[in-house]
Amino acid sequence: MPETGAGPGRPAPPQGQSDPAASSPAALAAGADTLDALAEAMRGYDGSDLKAGAKNFCFADGNPAARLMVIGEAPGAEEDRAGKPFVGRAGRLLDLMLGAIDLDRYAEDPEKSAYITNLLPWRPPGNRTPSTAEARMYLPFLERHIALKAPRAILCLGNPATQALLATSTGIKRMRGHWVRHGATGIPLLPSFHPAYLLRQPADKRLTWRDLLSVRAVLDGEEPGL
Ligand code: URA
């Protein structure tokens, strides 16, 4: 029998019409079994206007085998040009932050590298903050990204990614520095300030340093204080 996608409470679409649920972010994400397949599914997804307004798709950068996964907000102008996350000013600060705990996104050793992605793969016009609807739309892809990548720890930068992943409206100032478990995978996740915020508020680098040391300790095998 052909696969209709119909099930209890979900009638088959009329003949000749495709089932919209089959092209939803959740279905596309669930159908991806590798990071490459997930990138293709995300790139092909046409449900958001952001895609039409952006130059390039930004999926991830760094070492896919890294123990640490870093999650930011969305590409800015330089990331949009390069098709890679965190390559502009905030990205350069992120590289310094990672370097301070002996990590380099491009290192071959999984213990010494980092894998970097964003909540959204397309640049929002004018670098505006992602809307709640956009965050919700791309969340199933990010959830799948985390599950496929299966890092030892996640560093989650700034409000949009932290609030989307933890389904909270609590702000980053209260969340940062406190390890939590990521819901679906149980992977330890540390919210921290976004480097773009730190460029505007350098005094908060002091708190970020504490967060980075805590990441270092967890990567070195210490139990996160959960
Ligand atoms: N800010 C982000 O959150 N991500 C990027 O890739 C660049 C800037």
Side-chain angles (χ1 to χ4, degrees):
M1 216 169 75
E3 181 55 67
T4 62
R10 184 156 148 240
Q15 247 191 343
Q17 284 181 28
S18 60
D19 180 357
S23 55
S24 69
L28 291 169
D33 288 333
T34 63
L35 292 175
D36 285 347
L38 182 66
E40 280 322 297
M42 284 177 77
R43 190 201 297 271
Y45 175 64
D46 283 326
S48 164
D49 292 343
L50 293 176
K51 182 175 176 178
K55 289 193 178 70
N56 281 301
F57 174 67
C58 296
F59 180 66
D61 196 26
N63 182 351
R67 300 286 180 256
L68 179 68
M69 182 171 190
V70 180
I71 302 175
E73 181 176 321
E78 289 185 62
E79 289 77 18
D80 188 36
R81 268 192 295 277
K84 285 182 189 175
F86 281 104
V87 294
R89 263 187 93 210
R92 287 190 284 281
L93 178 55
L94 176 61
D95 283 337
L96 289 175
M97 288 159 57
L98 294 173
I101 52 168
D102 204 18
L103 297 176
D104 170 346
R105 68 171 95 181
Y106 298 123
E108 272 179 34
D109 182 348
E111 301 288 344
K112 297 206 158 191
S113 53
Y115 179 76
I116 300 173
T117 190
N118 279 312
L119 172 61
L120 302 187
W122 305 106
R123 181 192 184 206
N127 290 354
R128 64 162 171 73
T129 303
S131 68
T132 309
E134 288 161 349
R136 201 173 291 140
M137 184 178 280
Y138 280 98
L139 186 59
F141 291 118
L142 180 58
E143 291 285 359
R144 187 75 181 138
H145 204 159
I146 293 170
L148 288 170
K149 164 74 195 83
R152 185 182 297 164
I154 298 169
L155 178 63
C156 196
L157 302 173
N159 268 323
T162 303
Q163 292 178 336
L165 275 175
L166 302 181
T168 180
S169 56
T170 305
I172 194 69
K173 287 193 178 174
R174 283 187 55 199
M175 301 285 289
R176 68 139 286 281
H178 302 287
W179 286 94
V180 292
R181 288 208 183 272
H182 166 246
T185 61
I187 294 168
L189 178 154
L190 186 68
S192 192
F193 288 130
H194 192 288
Y197 167 82
L198 294 173
L199 288 170
R200 298 191 302 273
Q201 299 290 337
D204 278 338
K205 286 182 181 170
R206 188 178 47 89
L207 295 171
T208 301
W209 175 237
R210 283 197 217 156
D211 298 347
L212 291 169
L213 290 178
S214 183
V215 167
R216 179 73 264 165
V218 168
L219 291 177
D220 288 343
E222 196 171 283
E223 279 302 307
L226 284 162

